[in-house]
Amino acid sequence: MRMLRSIPTLAACVLAFSSSLLSAAPIDLNDGQHAVHLPDAPKRVVVLEFSFLDSLAAVDVTPVGAADDGDANRVLPRVRQAIGQWQSVGLRSQPSIEEIARLKPDLIVADLNRHQALYSDLASIAPTLLLPSRGEDYQGSLKSAELIGKALGKSAQMEARIQKNRENLKAIAQQIPAGASVLFGVAREDSFSVHGPDSYAGSVLEAIGLKVPSVRANAAPTEFVSLEQLLALDPGWLLVGHYRRPSIVDSWSKQPLWQVLGAVRNKHVAEVDGDSWARNRGVLASEQIAEDALAILKGGKAVLSQ
Amino acid sequence: MQRSFAAVGILLSGAGLFWLSLYSWSPFTLTATDAWNGLVHQGRVGGNMAYIVAQLRVPRAVCAALVGACLGLAGALMQGITRNRLASPSLFGVTAGAALGLALFSTGLVAPPFAGGALLMTCLGGALAWFTVFSLGGAWSPTTAQGRLVLAGVAVAALCAALTRLTVILVEAQAQSVLNWLAGSLANVGAAQVQLLWPCTLIGGLWALWCAPRLNLINLGEDAARSLGVGIASLRLQVFVASLLLVGASVCAVGPIGFVGLIAPNILRQFLGNDYRWLIPLSATLGAVIVLGADLLSRAVAFPVETPAGVVTALIGAPFFLFLARRAL
């Protein structure tokens, strides 16, 4: 009798299990390092770089956790608006493994450059994608975004967004003075690093038809330069992101030699938001950079993204 | 006679390197005439190139010479007071301690809210490291083996480096800036650094010269020096303060540049013996020559991008230390 009574419960369980099996769509992909198998489209995602947050924002996915250096203000404002709140899992350079495990993610997206050494720890928590982010250029970051779209089961939505991004940049390229030489650099207290044509910001500027001077042949994406080297580069426009004030550019600008720069004489020096331009990469970041560049080159003044 | 030859040789090579560093390895085509106009006429004649020399190259070369002089003097003083040929700011952890002090200051973790806070924190860091090394290494005990002090120095330097790293991790926003500075580079020095360095070098240098005759007596043994009227405790304190001022100023201006204080006095000892009246001024000069040369090399290695001069001195200094350690220990 008791057995008979438990039959409906058993049947319900079997039904529920089989229906979940039917609705689950396993995703298999390769991040270039490892084959990753996801039993279903992930619901609890943890990302360890700002560019991956950008990719999630592009397809309206909110992560459960993100490495944000404990300072959400470093993330591009439009990315923050798109995805809302997340739980911080510490520094991008040293994310907290315990914090990540506590969030019980079903997908982790980590940076190939920064987090390779953590891969086995991360993979033991959840399937982990190791994608290039730091030092990645515009085209490379779109490829990573495509892969993230696939991992989230939102390939079509991501492809449409990337297509829209290409159109947006093309529209900006048509309005901007083509071939103008523009150099973006990050100023700290005692150093100035310029972002060359292979850097993220540099490659976006080139994508909208601007010319980015290079410190030397085969230069790294970002290179530290002295005032003497900056004078030799002599860009038509100089865009500066200050990480700290007073920065080295503040002290250079008080020197008489600063006036030798063509950009200074023509009042073509502008300030941009260092976080948006140097720390963020991805679909939304590229649009922010392109829009800022357009506003500055057309209006001739600084535009700070808020 | 040999001393005069050595002095003239070092001075000439210093002057030559100073002159070269005014116009070589520049992304511009600077000439000797530009260098002359920049140096003598402060760039008022000769156009933009001479102006670049006057505004950028002259302060940089002066800074390199002053930093080298500071480190050479500090090395000679430390070797004199400890009677240990391996003594130097970097091997005794003083440079690493000073770097920790400045890292704490520049990341804003410990920042005295007054002008000169950076120099104070650098000197305090160096002082703390030195005090720890000398306590651990039994510096003042006549029976202590020379190696013990060096081991204590290496351990404290490693501890300071770890704490500096921790500081950098805790305050990631400034990390890159501090890491650049920790490599010891002259790329962005200017008039402000010269203003900081020259009074410290002058005071430290004169103080060191004043200590030189008594360091000669210490070299005979502490008992002998004491019987000849040398106040050992007072001399130790004076050397301690003078060395800290010299190392603190150089670290504060350009970051830690290692091994100069070890190399300069030891090369000179081969020609001059242990007479500190000669060793001290010539260590300053040779220190200047080494840092000027290292700065030139650092510009040439990956031209037009610059590598830190501290890396070049470490590349030369580390094998030199090993060679010396084999002989001295």
Side-chain angles (χ1 to χ4, degrees), chain A:
Chain A
M1 195 60 195
R2 191 180 280 175
M3 265 186 72
L4 276 177
R5 247 186 284 155
S6 61
I7 284 175
T9 324
L10 205 70
C13 284
V14 170
L15 209 68
F17 180 68
S18 57
S19 71
S20 79
L21 265 183
L22 284 173
S23 72
I27 299 167
D28 283 289
L29 66 164
N30 194 311
D31 62 5
Q33 316 291 317
H34 320 90
V36 177
H37 172 76
L38 299 161
D40 195 0
K43 300 280 181 297
R44 301 179 62 80
V45 185
V46 167
V47 294
L48 304 183
E49 248 299 347
F50 294 160
S51 69
F52 307 141
L53 270 177
D54 187 302
S55 298
L56 297 193
V59 289
D60 305 312
V61 171
T62 302
V64 287
D68 59 1
D69 300 344
D71 180 6
N73 289 329
R74 286 187 174 185
V75 178
L76 202 67
R78 53 181 75 180
V79 171
R80 286 205 307 268
Q81 278 161 17
I83 58 178
Q85 296 284 313
W86 62 83
Q87 180 82 38
S88 173
V89 295
L91 306 175
R92 284 174 298 155
S93 56
Q94 286 208 317
S96 161
I97 299 292
E98 281 181 27
E99 203 60 41
I100 296 170
R102 205 178 57 77
L103 291 171
K104 297 193 172 57
D106 46 17
L107 174 69
I108 300 170
V109 189
D111 179 12
L112 179 63
N113 181 317
R114 284 194 204 247
H115 308 121
Q116 199 158 22
L118 297 177
Y119 179 77
S120 55
D121 289 337
L122 295 171
S124 67
I125 298 171
T128 300
L129 282 178
L130 265 188
L131 297 173
S133 172
R134 206 180 185 195
E136 187 72 310
D137 66 1
Y138 171 60
Q139 296 299 344
S141 85
L142 291 185
K143 278 188 200 139
S144 294
E146 253 174 37
L147 217 57
I148 292 173
K150 195 176 171 192
L152 296 169
K154 296 193 169 207
S155 279
Q157 199 180 337
M158 183 65 92
E159 267 165 36
R161 184 65 185 87
I162 289 174
Q163 185 54 37
K164 190 172 164 233
N165 170 267
R166 291 204 168 107
E167 284 161 13
N168 287 345
L169 261 60
K170 207 171 162 186
I172 288 174
Q174 282 163 357
Q175 301 171 57
I176 217 156
S181 126
V182 180
L183 185 65
F184 163 64
V186 170
R188 295 178 174 87
E189 196 180 19
D190 57 2
S191 67
F192 186 61
S193 67
V194 298
H195 290 224
D198 295 331
S199 67
Y200 187 73
S203 61
V204 173
L205 293 175
E206 292 214 318
I208 55 172
L210 299 169
K211 200 169 162 290
V212 178
S214 183
V215 179
R216 57 171 170 165
N218 304 320
T222 63
E223 297 264 17
F224 289 100
V225 295
S226 59
L227 178 54
E228 191 174 334
Q229 287 165 315
L230 182 62
L231 289 168
L233 287 170
D234 201 21
W237 286 81
L238 180 63
L239 310 183
V240 183
H242 297 270
Y243 273 176
R244 199 175 185 186
R245 303 302 283 265
S247 71
I248 196 165
V249 169
D250 292 322
S251 62
W252 282 351
S253 60
K254 290 186 192 113
Q255 293 185 25
L257 209 50
W258 185 247
Q259 300 300 325
V260 173
L261 270 175
V264 175
R265 286 200 309 274
N266 298 323
K267 299 197 173 5
H268 283 175
V269 179
E271 189 184 320
V272 293
D273 183 47
D275 282 333
S276 301
W277 277 58
R279 288 199 169 110
N280 285 273
R281 293 171 288 279
V283 175
L284 279 74
S286 64
E287 288 167 3
Q288 176 79 61
I289 291 171
E291 285 168 21
D292 283 354
L294 175 65
I296 292 167
L297 265 71
K298 284 193 99 177
K301 63 183 175 63
V303 176
L304 280 173
S305 54
Q306 283 302 322

Side-chain angles (χ1 to χ4, degrees), chain B residues 261-277:
Chain B
L262 176 78
I263 300 171
N266 275 300
I267 290 179
L268 290 169
R269 247 177 252 282
Q270 305 295 322
F271 307 101
L272 309 175
N274 287 322
D275 187 348
Y276 280 87
R277 289 167 308 169

Side-chain angles (χ1 to χ4, degrees), chain B residues 69-70 73-74 77 197-215 235 238-239 241-243 245-246 276-277 280-281 284:
Chain B
C70 279
L73 281 167
L77 281 174
L197 277 166
W198 79 258
C200 297
T201 317
L202 188 70
I203 296 169
L206 290 176
W207 206 339
L209 278 175
W210 187 54
C211 293
R214 284 175 292 163
L215 288 175
L235 183 62
Q238 287 177 41
V239 166
V241 174
S243 310
L245 182 68
L246 291 162
Y276 280 87
R277 289 167 308 169
I280 282 181

